[in-house]
PDB file of all heavy atoms in Angstrom:
ATOM      1  N   LEU B1499       5.513  54.658  23.611  1.00  0.00           N
ATOM      2  CA  LEU B1499       4.756  53.588  24.283  1.00  0.00           C
ATOM      3  C   LEU B1499       5.736  52.533  24.793  1.00  0.00           C
ATOM      4  O   LEU B1499       6.615  52.107  24.054  1.00  0.00           O
ATOM      5  CB  LEU B1499       3.740  52.938  23.317  1.00  0.00           C
ATOM      6  CG  LEU B1499       2.586  53.821  22.853  1.00  0.00           C
ATOM      7  CD1 LEU B1499       1.751  53.079  21.801  1.00  0.00           C
ATOM      8  CD2 LEU B1499       1.694  54.280  24.022  1.00  0.00           C
ATOM      9  N   TYR B1500       5.596  52.154  26.028  1.00  0.00           N
ATOM     10  CA  TYR B1500       6.445  51.113  26.626  1.00  0.00           C
ATOM     11  C   TYR B1500       5.559  49.996  27.157  1.00  0.00           C
ATOM     12  O   TYR B1500       4.497  50.286  27.723  1.00  0.00           O
ATOM     13  CB  TYR B1500       7.273  51.666  27.804  1.00  0.00           C
ATOM     14  CG  TYR B1500       8.508  52.410  27.438  1.00  0.00           C
ATOM     15  CD1 TYR B1500       8.460  53.704  26.945  1.00  0.00           C
ATOM     16  CD2 TYR B1500       9.764  51.811  27.607  1.00  0.00           C
ATOM     17  CE1 TYR B1500       9.619  54.374  26.587  1.00  0.00           C
ATOM     18  CE2 TYR B1500      10.939  52.495  27.286  1.00  0.00           C
ATOM     19  CZ  TYR B1500      10.869  53.768  26.764  1.00  0.00           C
ATOM     20  OH  TYR B1500      12.009  54.447  26.452  1.00  0.00           O
ATOM     21  N   ARG B1501       5.986  48.780  26.996  1.00  0.00           N
ATOM     22  CA  ARG B1501       5.258  47.653  27.601  1.00  0.00           C
ATOM     23  C   ARG B1501       6.005  47.127  28.781  1.00  0.00           C
ATOM     24  O   ARG B1501       7.240  47.121  28.796  1.00  0.00           O
ATOM     25  CB  ARG B1501       5.093  46.510  26.567  1.00  0.00           C
ATOM     26  CG  ARG B1501       4.012  46.813  25.576  1.00  0.00           C
ATOM     27  CD  ARG B1501       3.672  45.588  24.813  1.00  0.00           C
ATOM     28  NE  ARG B1501       2.548  45.893  23.912  1.00  0.00           N
ATOM     29  CZ  ARG B1501       1.893  45.016  23.213  1.00  0.00           C
ATOM     30  NH1 ARG B1501       2.189  43.733  23.312  1.00  0.00           N
ATOM     31  NH2 ARG B1501       0.893  45.387  22.421  1.00  0.00           N
ATOM     32  N   ARG B1502       5.276  46.639  29.753  1.00  0.00           N
ATOM     33  CA  ARG B1502       5.937  45.949  30.868  1.00  0.00           C
ATOM     34  C   ARG B1502       5.071  44.820  31.395  1.00  0.00           C
ATOM     35  O   ARG B1502       3.845  44.822  31.264  1.00  0.00           O
ATOM     36  CB  ARG B1502       6.295  46.937  31.981  1.00  0.00           C
ATOM     37  CG  ARG B1502       5.079  47.517  32.676  1.00  0.00           C
ATOM     38  CD  ARG B1502       5.586  48.383  33.808  1.00  0.00           C
ATOM     39  NE  ARG B1502       4.529  48.887  34.626  1.00  0.00           N
ATOM     40  CZ  ARG B1502       4.692  49.671  35.681  1.00  0.00           C
ATOM     41  NH1 ARG B1502       5.920  50.020  36.031  1.00  0.00           N
ATOM     42  NH2 ARG B1502       3.694  50.103  36.368  1.00  0.00           N
ATOM     43  N   LEU B1503       5.753  43.846  32.021  1.00  0.00           N
ATOM     44  CA  LEU B1503       5.114  42.655  32.548  1.00  0.00           C
ATOM     45  C   LEU B1503       4.996  42.848  34.054  1.00  0.00           C
ATOM     46  O   LEU B1503       5.975  43.138  34.723  1.00  0.00           O
ATOM     47  CB  LEU B1503       5.999  41.475  32.207  1.00  0.00           C
ATOM     48  CG  LEU B1503       5.573  40.075  32.621  1.00  0.00           C
ATOM     49  CD1 LEU B1503       4.233  39.705  32.002  1.00  0.00           C
ATOM     50  CD2 LEU B1503       6.651  39.066  32.233  1.00  0.00           C
ATOM     51  N   LEU B1504       3.751  42.740  34.592  1.00  0.00           N
ATOM     52  CA  LEU B1504       3.582  42.905  36.042  1.00  0.00           C
ATOM     53  C   LEU B1504       3.852  41.596  36.773  1.00  0.00           C
ATOM     54  O   LEU B1504       3.338  40.548  36.370  1.00  0.00           O
ATOM     55  CB  LEU B1504       2.160  43.355  36.347  1.00  0.00           C
ATOM     56  CG  LEU B1504       1.719  44.677  35.724  1.00  0.00           C
ATOM     57  CD1 LEU B1504       0.361  45.079  36.293  1.00  0.00           C
ATOM     58  CD2 LEU B1504       2.717  45.778  35.983  1.00  0.00           C
ATOM     59  N   ALA B1505       4.668  41.651  37.815  1.00  0.00           N
ATOM     60  CA  ALA B1505       4.991  40.482  38.597  1.00  0.00           C
ATOM     61  C   ALA B1505       3.749  40.005  39.358  1.00  0.00           C
ATOM     62  O   ALA B1505       2.978  40.828  39.851  1.00  0.00           O
ATOM     63  CB  ALA B1505       6.123  40.756  39.563  1.00  0.00           C
ATOM     64  N   GLN B1506       3.562  38.685  39.434  1.00  0.00           N
ATOM     65  CA  GLN B1506       2.561  38.097  40.326  1.00  0.00           C
ATOM     66  C   GLN B1506       3.263  37.759  41.609  1.00  0.00           C
ATOM     67  O   GLN B1506       4.455  37.448  41.631  1.00  0.00           O
ATOM     68  CB  GLN B1506       2.001  36.820  39.677  1.00  0.00           C
ATOM     69  CG  GLN B1506       1.726  36.925  38.217  1.00  0.00           C
ATOM     70  CD  GLN B1506       0.436  37.638  37.903  1.00  0.00           C
ATOM     71  OE1 GLN B1506      -0.635  37.203  38.350  1.00  0.00           O
ATOM     72  NE2 GLN B1506       0.485  38.733  37.165  1.00  0.00           N
ATOM     73  N   GLY B1507       2.586  37.796  42.731  1.00  0.00           N
ATOM     74  CA  GLY B1507       3.158  37.328  43.977  1.00  0.00           C
ATOM     75  C   GLY B1507       3.944  38.366  44.708  1.00  0.00           C
ATOM     76  O   GLY B1507       3.873  39.573  44.440  1.00  0.00           O
ATOM     77  N   GLN B1508       4.713  37.918  45.702  1.00  0.00           N
ATOM     78  CA  GLN B1508       5.370  38.785  46.699  1.00  0.00           C
ATOM     79  C   GLN B1508       6.844  38.954  46.427  1.00  0.00           C
ATOM     80  O   GLN B1508       7.565  39.517  47.260  1.00  0.00           O
ATOM     81  CB  GLN B1508       5.209  38.188  48.083  1.00  0.00           C
ATOM     82  CG  GLN B1508       3.858  38.395  48.738  1.00  0.00           C
ATOM     83  CD  GLN B1508       2.774  37.532  48.105  1.00  0.00           C
ATOM     84  OE1 GLN B1508       3.016  36.413  47.757  1.00  0.00           O
ATOM     85  NE2 GLN B1508       1.552  38.093  47.975  1.00  0.00           N
ATOM     86  N   GLY B1509       7.326  38.491  45.291  1.00  0.00           N
ATOM     87  CA  GLY B1509       8.774  38.596  45.011  1.00  0.00           C
ATOM     88  C   GLY B1509       9.510  37.342  45.476  1.00  0.00           C
ATOM     89  O   GLY B1509       8.891  36.327  45.811  1.00  0.00           O
ATOM     90  N   ALA B1510      10.817  37.427  45.477  1.00  0.00           N
ATOM     91  CA  ALA B1510      11.638  36.227  45.722  1.00  0.00           C
ATOM     92  C   ALA B1510      12.801  36.607  46.648  1.00  0.00           C
ATOM     93  O   ALA B1510      13.017  37.745  47.003  1.00  0.00           O
ATOM     94  CB  ALA B1510      12.171  35.690  44.407  1.00  0.00           C
ATOM     95  N   VAL B1511      13.500  35.547  47.078  1.00  0.00           N
ATOM     96  CA  VAL B1511      14.733  35.730  47.889  1.00  0.00           C
ATOM     97  C   VAL B1511      15.868  34.937  47.251  1.00  0.00           C
ATOM     98  O   VAL B1511      15.642  33.850  46.657  1.00  0.00           O
ATOM     99  CB  VAL B1511      14.547  35.265  49.355  1.00  0.00           C
ATOM    100  CG1 VAL B1511      13.665  36.235  50.114  1.00  0.00           C
ATOM    101  CG2 VAL B1511      13.951  33.850  49.398  1.00  0.00           C
ATOM    102  N   ILE B1512      17.077  35.451  47.354  1.00  0.00           N
ATOM    103  CA  ILE B1512      18.292  34.747  46.987  1.00  0.00           C
ATOM    104  C   ILE B1512      19.126  34.687  48.287  1.00  0.00           C
ATOM    105  O   ILE B1512      19.406  35.720  48.888  1.00  0.00           O
ATOM    106  CB  ILE B1512      19.091  35.498  45.907  1.00  0.00           C
ATOM    107  CG1 ILE B1512      18.194  35.729  44.677  1.00  0.00           C
ATOM    108  CG2 ILE B1512      20.346  34.699  45.513  1.00  0.00           C
ATOM    109  CD1 ILE B1512      18.842  36.620  43.630  1.00  0.00           C
TER     110      ILE B1512
END
Side-chain angles (χ1 to χ4, degrees):
Chain B
L1499 293 175
Y1500 278 76
R1501 283 193 177 189
R1502 67 176 185 180
L1503 182 60
L1504 300 188
Q1506 317 281 302
Q1508 282 73 37
V1511 286
I1512 304 172

